[in-house]
Amino acid sequence: MLRGFFLIFLLIGVAIVAVFGFRGQTSTGSPIEVFPDMVRQMKVRAQAPLAFFADGRGSRPPVAGTVPIGYEMPKANSEASPGAAPVPSEMNVQPHLGFSSGNDYFNTGKMGTNWGTGFPLAVTGDLMERGKQRFNINCAICHGPTAAGNGMTKQYGLATVVTLQDERIRTMADGEIFNTITNGKNTMLAYGPNVSVTDRWAIIAYLRALQRSQNATAADVPPEHRAEMDKPAETKPEAKPEAKPEPPKK
Ligand code: HEC
């Protein structure tokens, strides 16, 4: 009885080894696998040739006009050096991908250990246009088109958004605002990874214009236009369609 069991056990063992085990000679082929090993799969190894492409190379250069993640576009000289270098006018066509991380005022908003103020690049018409466009894309959803803190997200419950029109922000150093854009503040997330250094300054320049526009006095109106202010409103109805009703306040 026990002998019979050992005999059958031995025969089954031999059969298993015969099917799955030693083949009698060395082989570079893959062994029989019940569950295929993921080491073997359709893929191109680094530096390996590949007949699929006309030039026979497996590794491909980046597609023309794209920047691989983790790489930076080569910068124009004027952006690398702060000073009062003019911002190239092709800026609107080719977005600036300058996310440099120098220690100077241009890159940090700090002069020594204090927040600096003033613009480390020429404030041109182009820069203001760029700032307007970038503000409306990146900031207006929360802070509102006139920075009054009434952006779209407020209607969806983002209650902590602040107005950028109050005295504290109006008198805040440019460098501190630069830092808020770069690193965020309290409940506002950092926009440094999304907005280039030049664009951050452009946004601040535009924000300053918005602040001025909302806090203007009669003295800010050029003398030759002051007479128009006293005219009754119905003489210029074309100003009306622009005005939209305020979203409901919560
Ligand atoms: C997703 C919404 C959101 C966006 C987009 C946003 N902010 Fe803010 N921002 C906030 C909130 C919320 C606060 C209030 C932070 C706090 O709790 O003090 C704030 C505060 C600020 C402050 C005041 C900081 C201080 O010192 O009190 C400034 C300046 C500012 N934002 C500028 C900007 C600019 C410029 C942009 C565009 C690049 C921008 N924000 C985009 C939500 C946003």
Side-chain angles (χ1 to χ4, degrees), residues 134-135 137-143 153 158-164 168-169 172 176-178 180-181 184-189 191 195 200 203-204 207 211:
R134 296 292 116 178
F135 180 90
I137 291 170
N138 293 292
C139 320
I141 44 159
C142 289
H143 290 290
T153 53
L158 195 63
T160 55
V161 177
V162 295
T163 170
L164 304 181
R168 192 175 63 86
I169 312 289
M172 182 177 276
E176 190 172 354
I177 296 180
F178 180 90
T180 297
I181 302 175
K185 177 136 186 183
N186 301 331
T187 47
M188 175 177 150
L189 294 181
Y191 280 78
V195 180
R200 282 171 237 167
I203 287 173
I204 298 167
L207 174 62
Q211 289 173 336

